[in-house]
Amino acid sequence: MTILKITDPYNTNITIGLATKPNPCFRIPGLNLYSINYHSINGKKFNNNNIGIEYRPEWKVEDIISCGYYSDSSEVFFTRNGDFLGEAFTGIKHIWFPIISANDSYVIKINFRNNPDNKFKYKEAIDYDFDKPILLSRRRRFKKN
């Protein structure tokens, strides 16, 4: 997703991540059971807790934030402006669904690659073809930044 506008950048928390069904609409993902998220306002990652773990920098307008999941290793990771931010969590297997949330007004653009002109910013996904299966065994392992 690309962040286009945040009404109140000091108090608006945008999150991106994964959750299982059903995820309560009144609770920010990552704080709820079976959900993982990376939060914009403090750069922390959350998995079923209210405290969070220091992860990476806060986000700002025009940042492109992505969430990825490798089902073979149960590895969840995030990217910022195409840069791999390192593993966020490993060993957590569920049937995941992408989820974005916020506690205030914001404008974002989401890239599900439904437009052929859209390109992913993350270099490992740039040439990803949605009409073909992903070859997870050919995936490269990354070093943490």
Side-chain angles (χ1 to χ4, degrees):
M1 74 174 169
T2 305
I3 301 166
L4 302 177
K5 179 181 176 183
I6 300 174
T7 306
D8 183 359
Y10 297 104
N11 295 307
T12 301
N13 188 23
I14 304 171
T15 72
I16 184 172
L18 303 169
T20 60
K21 284 186 175 182
N23 189 76
C25 62
F26 59 85
R27 193 152 162 98
I28 293 177
L31 309 181
N32 197 52
L33 187 62
Y34 308 123
S35 62
I36 293 171
N37 266 24
Y38 174 31
H39 290 226
S40 66
I41 204 163
N42 58 18
K44 289 184 177 183
K45 60 183 180 178
F46 290 78
N47 175 23
N48 186 27
N49 68 53
N50 293 322
I51 300 168
I53 300 167
E54 294 297 325
Y55 182 57
R56 296 295 176 191
E58 298 176 2
W59 328 340
K60 59 185 183 312
V61 172
E62 297 184 9
D63 277 348
I64 301 169
I65 307 296
S66 302
C67 178
Y69 175 66
Y70 289 120
S71 59
D72 61 336
S73 64
S74 302
E75 175 186 336
V76 178
F77 65 92
F78 296 95
T79 68
R80 181 174 174 235
N81 299 323
D83 295 328
F84 179 74
L85 298 179
E87 293 176 352
F89 299 99
T90 59
I92 304 173
K93 285 189 179 258
H94 294 294
I95 298 174
W96 292 116
F97 296 89
I99 192 163
I100 296 169
S101 71
N103 64 348
D104 205 345
S105 299
Y106 65 99
V107 178
I108 61 172
K109 177 181 169 186
I110 301 172
N111 180 5
F112 286 116
R113 188 83 184 272
N114 52 351
N115 177 340
D117 297 330
N118 286 346
K119 292 288 186 183
F120 288 117
K121 181 80 173 165
Y122 181 48
K123 63 182 174 266
E124 293 300 311
I126 287 174
D127 295 322
Y128 178 73
D129 185 349
F130 280 91
D131 296 329
K132 297 179 184 175
I134 301 172
L135 300 175
L136 295 173
S137 61
R138 293 189 181 176
R139 175 174 66 84
R140 286 187 261 163
R141 298 292 299 175
F142 295 92
K143 294 180 183 177
K144 293 181 182 177
N145 292 340

